[in-house]
Amino acid sequence: MNIILLGPPGAGKGTQARRLVAERDMIQLSTGDMLRDAKVSGTDMGRRVAEIMDRGELVTDEIVIGLIEEKLDGKAKGGLIFDGFPRTLAQADALADLLARHGEALDAVIEMQVDDEALVRRITARSVCASCGEVFNDETKPIPEDGRCSNCGGTEFTRRGDDNEDSLKQRLLEYYKKTSPLIGYYYAKGELRRIDGLADIDEVGVEIDKCLDG
Ligand code: AMP
């Protein structure tokens, strides 16, 4: 099964994608993670994208489509989860072409609906395990009381460079201007499923499972 998790920053796409990887042998393709890897790699591309990401703007379609194309050969029994991609109509068209070329199709696009005030609260409360990237949130999934990451036991936690109020405003603006038209696009194609992204993490998981299983 190949799915897209669609939703604004802070909707919980990454958290749910990681659960699906663990439970269903799926592969998570997060363009945000790929770009963050490029940022620290010291390559030309890394330098070009670093500033754009820190400002909360979208990186060019060409770059992210290229990143996804490189990863599409990886096969997982459970299928692919596109997390944070596509984010523009051009990316959505490119994804349809790429999947067709690989003999694959899209099975569902799951829109995780969350209201804007909750997003701002969630993002400003977010931290990430420095060792494994597990995401924690003071509101929805606090760091365990012993101060150790529940996934890997790591004790260092960092914040994403773009998880501040200025970048967040820009990221929301980009979402509404460029990404939200995808909701209508996938609705018209009959692929859209909507779930309440504000429910607690396990309940959101159950709703996603329902979309996948039936
Ligand atoms: P994310 O981790 O998905 O929130 O992405 C973090 C940042 O990476 C975004 O604010 C963009 O600057 C960039 N980015 C990630 N995915 C894309 C994409 N599909 N298209 C353009 N820019 C992206």
Side-chain angles (χ1 to χ4, degrees):
M1 254 204 139
N2 300 317
I3 64 166
I4 294 174
L5 294 181
L6 185 64
K13 303 185 293 293
T15 301
Q16 292 298 332
R18 289 166 74 96
R19 182 188 65 83
L20 291 170
V21 168
E23 292 178 7
R24 291 184 177 242
D25 194 19
M26 297 177 84
I27 289 183
Q28 175 188 12
L29 295 179
S30 156
T31 40
D33 286 348
M34 294 173 205
L35 290 164
R36 276 183 288 280
D37 288 345
K39 233 173 112 172
V40 294
S41 68
T43 58
D44 263 1
M45 198 259 273
R47 273 187 290 275
R48 267 187 287 146
V49 301
E51 279 184 29
I52 301 174
M53 289 175 76
D54 286 345
R55 282 201 300 269
E57 292 169 9
L58 291 191
V59 167
T60 63
D61 289 336
E62 199 192 351
I63 289 180
V64 287
I65 291 166
L67 287 171
I68 287 288
E69 194 166 8
E70 277 172 25
K71 301 274 172 160
L72 267 195
D73 283 333
K75 288 258 186 270
K77 262 198 278 145
L80 302 169
I81 308 159
F82 295 96
D83 160 14
F85 179 91
R87 263 173 153 103
T88 64
L89 290 167
Q91 292 176 24
D93 283 337
L95 178 61
D97 285 349
L98 282 175
L99 286 172
R101 266 197 269 145
H102 282 76
E104 296 275 343
L106 205 54
D107 297 287
V109 177
I110 301 175
E111 184 203 350
M112 301 177 66
Q113 297 180 311
V114 191
D115 73 56
D116 297 332
E117 280 176 26
L119 290 178
V120 176
R121 279 202 310 276
R122 274 190 183 187
I123 287 203
T124 43
R126 177 155 78 173
S127 55
V128 182
C129 171
S131 318
C132 73
E134 186 77 3
V135 179
F136 293 92
N137 195 293
D138 300 342
E139 293 220 346
T140 55
K141 185 183 169 191
I143 295 169
E145 279 182 6
D146 64 3
R148 294 187 166 275
C149 169
S150 47
N151 187 46
C152 76
T155 52
E156 251 187 70
F157 300 89
T158 56
R159 290 181 60 76
R160 276 174 46 168
D162 57 354
D163 275 353
N164 59 68
E165 273 192 46
D166 283 348
S167 298
L168 178 58
K169 264 189 216 146
Q170 187 59 35
R171 284 156 72 200
L172 277 178
L173 207 59
E174 296 282 66
Y175 179 78
Y176 286 115
K177 263 167 50 185
K178 299 176 184 164
T179 308
S180 64
L182 296 182
I183 296 167
Y185 172 99
Y186 286 118
Y187 175 79
K189 288 182 142 203
E191 288 161 351
L192 191 73
R193 314 274 181 278
R194 292 191 163 113
I195 62 159
D196 174 13
L198 268 187
D200 82 40
I201 291 177
D202 292 340
E203 281 171 47
V204 175
V206 169
E207 289 308 307
I208 291 180
D209 286 345
K210 279 191 207 158
C211 294
L212 300 189
D213 296 330

